[in-house]
Amino acid sequence: MAKKSKKRQQPGGTPATVALTAAGVEFTVHSYDHDPSHPSYGEEAAEAMGVSPDRVFKTLVADVDGTLTVAVVPVAGQLDLKALAAAVGGKRATMADPTLAERTTGYVRGGISPLGQRKRLPTVLDASASAHSTICVSAGRRGLEVELAPEDLQKLTVAVLAPVGRFS
């Protein structure tokens, strides 16, 4: 079962929560016990928090024409690499090497947050986010999510809003 904390987290949290606090953005932290054997970090988060998978977004790092680029898409879908490349004016996108993604963002796989990254990367937020008053993204470690308005996430990450998720 997920635990909820107050709207604001005190500095000293993850780089993501520190960035949110510094920006004065309203957010809620959700924590849950991470199960390392679960096949999907995002689906695990949605299940543990009791939130629909279309409101829980995963952070993926791709390589678009040699530039690392962040894609934030619902866990209910998959990343459309062609759409991601097009959204940032590129020609070709592939998933980034996980070790490079971890080193560049400062987060571990399964806990990469679009917020508070070591190096600011071009970011694309799936357009479906705008259909929700709040969405959840990783707070910077496995078992920790932040819930915030998609407009705040878009503003803080300087994200392009584009349809980059593929849903079956």
Side-chain angles (χ1 to χ4, degrees), residues 118-129:
R118 186 176 286 151
K119 178 182 179 188
R120 178 171 281 192
L121 300 174
T123 301
V124 179
L125 175 60
D126 185 68
S128 68

Side-chain angles (χ1 to χ4, degrees), residues 60-71 79 81 84-97 100-101 104-105 117 119-124:
L60 303 170
V61 181
D63 179 320
V64 179
D65 299 333
T67 300
L68 289 183
T69 304
V70 172
L79 173 61
L81 289 166
L84 176 64
V88 295
K91 293 182 181 181
R92 185 171 181 271
T94 59
M95 292 307 297
D97 173 72
L100 180 60
T104 304
T105 63
Q117 295 181 358
K119 178 182 179 188
R120 178 171 281 192
L121 300 174
T123 301
V124 179

Side-chain angles (χ1 to χ4, degrees), residues 107-141:
Y107 294 117
V108 297
R109 191 169 161 261
I112 294 178
S113 177
L115 300 155
Q117 295 181 358
R118 186 176 286 151
K119 178 182 179 188
R120 178 171 281 192
L121 300 174
T123 301
V124 179
L125 175 60
D126 185 68
S128 68
S130 60
H132 307 286
S133 58
T134 62
I135 60 171
C136 298
V137 296
S138 175
R141 90 172 166 250

Side-chain angles (χ1 to χ4, degrees), residues 33-95:
D33 295 323
H34 166 62
D35 176 3
S37 68
H38 200 288
S40 166
Y41 297 115
E43 288 175 11
E44 176 191 26
E47 290 167 10
M49 294 186 304
V51 175
S52 172
D54 65 337
R55 281 191 49 231
V56 179
F57 283 62
K58 55 190 170 186
T59 305
L60 303 170
V61 181
D63 179 320
V64 179
D65 299 333
T67 300
L68 289 183
T69 304
V70 172
V72 185
V73 297
V75 301
Q78 296 180 328
L79 173 61
D80 181 333
L81 289 166
K82 286 182 181 181
L84 176 64
V88 295
K91 293 182 181 181
R92 185 171 181 271
T94 59
M95 292 307 297

